[in-house]
Amino acid sequence: MRQKTFASHLRQYHRRMHTYRIGDAAALLGVSADTVRRLVDGGKLTAERDAQGHRIIPGPALAAYARQVHGTDRETTVSSARNRLTGIVTAVILGDVSAQVEIQAGPYRVVSLVSRESAEELQLEPGVSGGCRDQVDQRGRRETVDEWSRDRRQAFASVRESRGSSPVMTRSARRTRRMLQVTGASAAALLALSACSSSDSDTAGSDSSPSASGSPKLSGTVTVFAAASLKESFEKLGKEFEQEHPGTKVTFSFGGSDSLAASITGGAPADVFASASPKTMKIVTDAGDASGTPATFVRNQLEIATLPGNPDKVDSLKDLTNSDLKVVLCDKEVPCGAAAQKALDASKLKLTPVSYEQDVKAALTKVELKEADAAVVYKTDVKAAGDKVEGVEFPESADAINDYPITLLKDTQNTEAAKAFIALVQSAEGQQVLTEAGFLKP
């Protein structure tokens, strides 16, 4: 009977923790409450009504949107003694031993490793929020501390009371934190979120076994880290790959190439890396995390994205320097941002954007939501956005074309399937999908 009570409390906890009010959702995404309301009104974000008639956002829907956009605001709160962060789990990839947890903390995406056992014991899943603080203890040592939300603490207090036992989560959370593997103190602070979050039991295993005839029979999961601009094309190729090879599953992590490279060198499990520039690929190869030599499979060119109908009559790169325009750019460390800066430098133009975004999708979203008048993005992203934006070509973009390299990663757990996916990307079929999306041939 006691066990039944425990399960009942746990189900109630999960239901309660999987919805967010408008303000809470805005804080987790790193945007304003008005932006969240516009997302809901525009059908980009699902909302329901609670018993009091307030609009609430289901956790899985919020996680899916955060994973797609990766946040739209670059502000974070920092103090001299400690950094306090909150975030939402967007995905979990379960391996045989470890679990890859993806967390969106405002504009920052973090990929961390925890044990599979801990992830399953905690019953973590996308849509759960968590908080952490990175602080210095009395001996001057840096430690990471979980900060559970009030509802979470109350829910687990009820569970403990119903079982008549000591705290359910303490030992598991401590063991999870001991197994986190990343580099850098700030990353360690974010990774504490993974002790509070996510799991995806639908992910297949990662083994592939050769058939008796010698040709590999592909199975298991292929984890692909890819530049945000590849999202639509790679998702289409992923579906084709799964249809061609029953028993396989392709999972993607899309984002800024520099962030993805840092995740890979920090130990995040992945099989394939597709970058939006050789510079960010070099981060991975220099760390010895690539297997073989990366190959360029497509190229991409910049374009200006404006509001539909181009009401501000933007006709050139120089027009973006108009102080009356709200313009956003990708961060200079991101390939699309570096390319934009190269085009500006070549034209001897100085542009002060209202914000720098961490990847090209986040920059484009600012225009789609009418929070910006224009953004310098890729042609492929303008095309994927359809009638939500209008594209304006500019000649300087011809001098800032990015090559996209792809590589097999050294620590892949599914070599044959990963190689087969890369082969599909490079094949005539794959190139057709990419060309139709607006990419240039290598």
Side-chain angles (χ1 to χ4, degrees):
M1 182 67 179
R2 180 174 293 174
Q3 183 67 29
K4 183 178 180 180
T5 304
F6 167 73
S8 175
H9 277 294
L10 195 58
R11 285 193 297 271
Q12 292 173 7
Y13 154 73
H14 277 293
R15 284 196 294 270
R16 180 161 59 249
M17 292 308 301
H18 274 67
T19 58
Y20 302 91
R21 290 197 175 184
I22 295 293
D24 296 329
L28 290 171
L29 291 176
V31 299
S32 67
D34 286 341
T35 295
V36 175
R37 292 188 185 97
R38 284 196 294 270
L39 289 171
V40 172
D41 293 340
K44 291 178 176 289
L45 197 55
T46 302
E48 303 169 353
R49 296 279 181 178
D50 63 12
Q52 290 73 40
H54 297 122
R55 286 197 289 190
I56 54 176
I57 312 296
L62 187 64
Y65 181 80
R67 182 176 173 83
Q68 174 185 354
V69 177
H70 300 298
T72 58
D73 196 316
R74 298 180 59 81
E75 294 183 358
T76 184
T77 301
V78 180
S79 63
S80 59
R82 71 186 186 184
N83 296 332
R84 185 187 301 267
L85 304 112
T86 59
I88 184 169
V89 172
T90 57
V92 169
I93 300 172
L94 295 178
D96 293 335
V97 177
S98 63
Q100 175 184 319
V101 182
E102 297 182 17
I103 305 159
Q104 193 66 35
Y108 302 106
R109 175 179 171 275
V110 177
V111 179
S112 65
L113 297 178
V114 300
S115 69
R116 175 172 181 147
E117 176 189 6
S118 295
E120 291 177 338
E121 283 183 3
L122 294 172
Q123 298 189 18
L124 306 173
E125 57 189 18
V128 174
S129 68
C132 72
R133 66 179 186 268
D134 189 31
Q135 67 180 27
V136 179
D137 67 13
Q138 294 178 348
R139 298 182 181 181
R141 296 174 302 185
R142 186 168 294 278
E143 62 178 359
T144 301
V145 182
D146 294 336
E147 293 182 324
W148 296 71
S149 67
R150 180 183 62 186
D151 285 348
R152 189 189 297 270
R153 290 196 301 270
Q154 291 175 347
F156 276 89
S158 299
V159 172
R160 291 196 294 270
E161 183 179 351
S162 70
R163 297 187 71 180
S165 61
S166 60
V168 177
M169 301 299 294
T170 303
R171 283 181 291 177
S172 290
R174 283 203 302 266
R175 182 169 64 250
T176 300
R177 285 200 297 275
R178 286 198 299 268
M179 297 190 67
L180 296 176
Q181 301 173 11
V182 293
T183 57
S186 61
L190 288 174
L191 289 178
L193 292 169
S194 64
C196 314
S197 326
S198 166
S199 100
D200 183 356
S201 58
D202 293 335
T203 304
S206 58
D207 295 332
S208 60
S209 56
S211 64
S213 64
S215 60
K217 175 175 171 48
L218 303 181
S219 64
T221 299
V222 180
T223 302
V224 180
F225 279 23
S229 50
L230 292 164
K231 185 179 189 318
E232 292 80 11
S233 300
F234 266 31
E235 286 182 340
K236 183 175 182 179
L237 289 175
K239 291 178 181 178
E240 292 183 7
F241 185 86
E242 291 172 353
Q243 291 174 357
E244 185 177 347
H245 303 285
T248 62
K249 181 176 179 62
V250 184
T251 62
F252 295 102
S253 288
F254 297 105
S257 296
D258 60 329
S259 299
L260 296 175
S263 298
I264 292 169
T265 58
D271 303 300
V272 176
F273 179 40
S275 171
S277 77
K279 180 181 178 181
T280 48
M281 178 61 75
K282 192 172 185 295
I283 297 172
V284 173
T285 56
D286 285 353
D289 290 318
S291 177
T293 303
T296 299
F297 64 100
V298 287
R299 307 170 79 203
N300 211 349
Q301 191 168 354
L302 296 175
E303 189 166 286
I304 299 170
T306 72
L307 298 173
N310 192 5
D312 297 300
K313 307 301 180 185
V314 174
D315 191 45
S316 66
L317 191 61
K318 185 178 181 180
D319 289 344
L320 298 183
T321 61
N322 185 336
S323 59
D324 293 332
L325 288 181
K326 291 187 292 183
V327 179
V328 295
L329 298 176
C330 297
D331 190 280
K332 295 178 182 179
E333 297 300 317
V334 179
C336 68
Q341 191 59 51
K342 184 177 179 181
L344 289 166
D345 291 343
S347 304
K348 295 182 171 54
L349 296 174
K350 185 176 181 180
L351 173 59
T352 303
V354 294
S355 69
Y356 286 99
E357 303 303 321
Q358 71 170 30
D359 63 48
V360 70
K361 294 297 184 185
L364 187 69
T365 298
K366 287 279 191 177
V367 181
E368 290 179 337
L369 296 177
K370 297 181 172 58
E371 294 183 355
D373 300 314
V376 180
V377 295
Y378 290 121
K379 284 178 174 290
T380 53
D381 298 292
V382 171
K383 187 170 184 177
D387 59 5
K388 297 176 184 177
V389 300
E390 183 164 323
V392 177
E393 297 181 351
F394 58 99
E396 297 88 347
S397 65
D399 297 321
I401 295 177
N402 279 352
D403 291 343
Y404 282 48
I406 190 169
T407 189
L408 179 73
L409 294 173
K410 183 184 67 175
D411 293 332
T412 175
Q413 299 298 304
N414 199 348
T415 302
E416 295 304 325
K419 286 182 176 178
F421 180 79
I422 293 175
L424 173 61
V425 171
Q426 296 174 317
S427 70
E429 179 184 359
Q431 289 293 300
Q432 181 178 351
V433 170
L434 291 160
T435 301
E436 289 174 353
F439 287 97
L440 305 174
K441 292 185 177 180

